[in-house]
Amino acid sequence: GESVGLHLPTLSVQEGDNSIINCAYSNSASDYFIWYKQESGKGPQFIIDIRSNMDKRQGQRVTVLLNKTVKHLSLQIAATQPGDSAVYFCAERSGGYNKLIFGAGTRLAVHP
Amino acid sequence: DAGVIQSPRHEVTEMGQEVTLRCKLISGHNSLFWYRQTMMRGLELLIYFNNNVPIDDSGMPEDRFSAKMPNASFSTLKIQPSEPRDSAVYFCASSGERFSTDTQYFGPGTRLTVL
């Protein structure tokens, strides 16, 4: 889910469980989507991307799903580890160039 | 393999002072983006350069902000005069058509505090 202001939505999971982070995007004309991970004190780090002509893309322990009908993007993390604790941002590209619009972010908290 | 480099990592200054933030792109990249991150507004694009030319500066807050690319691998973001509401973390990111990728790679950020 998305949020504005000071309070990010938080997803709490147990270590070893699968995590699903959701994102609603705004522009049906967006053609490219990215998930970034941001750890405390660091810059956003690229995780995985997907183009609008795809529904699913898999990486190492991560899968991104795209549902263009409802303008929804999700990030699935398999076997979540403590090192996965961070804020996760989805971003969409809808401009004529590589301009990304970022969501508000979701905080993932992994508990032992 | 060096990523995007930003300096300084932290800057504390007083209201009215000039602040200059610096960014070195990843070698071979030709697109440069400056972002500002705050708790209230999240990540906002300030300005985008392609091949050293500013393409979109619609996100620059006001005339107190200016950005330059004196060469293909380096950029500066200047705030003059600075105000407390400019306090934020400033990121630059680069991407490169040369590598046939649209992915923007972010630097570690500069945390700016204006007192």
Side-chain angles (χ1 to χ4, degrees):
Chain A
E2 299 295 343
S3 177
V4 295
L6 297 174
H7 302 289
L8 293 175
T10 298
L11 175 65
S12 294
V13 300
Q14 291 292 121
E15 181 178 356
D17 286 352
N18 297 332
S19 303
I20 300 176
I21 301 172
N22 297 304
C23 176
Y25 63 93
S26 58
N27 191 338
S28 57
S30 294
D31 65 346
Y32 178 63
F33 305 87
I34 305 180
W35 280 100
Y36 282 91
K37 171 187 179 183
Q38 187 176 23
E39 297 174 278
S40 180
K42 297 184 178 180
Q45 177 187 4
F46 170 82
I47 301 174
I48 191 168
D49 59 3
I50 188 169
R51 298 192 184 276
S52 59
N53 60 354
M54 302 173 68
D55 297 322
K56 179 180 179 178
R57 190 167 187 215
Q58 288 184 290
Q60 186 177 14
R61 280 202 309 120
V62 294
T63 301
V64 56
L65 298 177
L66 175 63
N67 185 332
K68 294 180 287 294
T69 302
V70 294
K71 293 189 288 187
H72 184 267
L73 195 67
S74 68
L75 176 70
Q76 300 178 3
I77 304 174
T80 312
Q81 303 169 1
D84 295 326
S85 294
V87 177
Y88 289 80
F89 294 95
C90 65
E92 61 182 301
R93 182 181 71 182
S94 58
Y97 66 89
N98 195 15
K99 179 175 183 175
L100 297 178
I101 307 298
F102 283 82
T106 297
R107 186 178 304 280
L108 176 65
V110 183
H111 302 285
Chain B
D1 184 19
V4 174
I5 299 172
Q6 291 187 247
S7 64
R9 294 295 313 278
H10 302 274
E11 177 81 26
V12 180
T13 191
E14 292 187 344
M15 181 175 63
Q17 296 298 306
E18 177 180 296
V19 175
T20 300
L21 311 181
R22 297 173 174 81
C23 174
K24 186 176 185 302
L25 284 68
I26 292 173
S27 178
H29 282 189
N30 63 353
S31 294
L32 183 281
F33 306 81
W34 280 102
Y35 290 88
R36 178 172 65 179
Q37 186 177 42
T38 60
M39 287 294 290
M40 289 303 297
R41 300 176 65 90
L43 265 169
E44 301 175 282
L45 177 66
L46 299 178
I47 188 169
Y48 158 61
F49 289 87
N50 184 258
N51 292 323
N52 302 6
V53 176
I55 303 299
D56 182 356
D57 65 354
S58 60
M60 295 287 263
E62 48 198 90
D63 292 345
R64 297 185 297 107
F65 285 69
S66 63
K68 294 181 180 179
M69 280 197 75
N71 58 58
S73 59
F74 184 74
S75 177
T76 59
L77 177 68
K78 186 176 295 186
I79 309 172
Q80 167 62 21
S82 59
E83 297 182 2
R85 60 192 169 119
D86 301 330
S87 297
V89 182
Y90 291 81
F91 292 102
C92 66
S94 73
S95 67
E97 294 174 3
R98 174 180 170 181
F99 297 97
S100 299
T101 177
D102 298 310
T103 303
Q104 294 181 26
Y105 294 92
F106 283 75
T110 295
R111 180 174 295 276
L112 173 65
T113 302
V114 184
L115 303 174

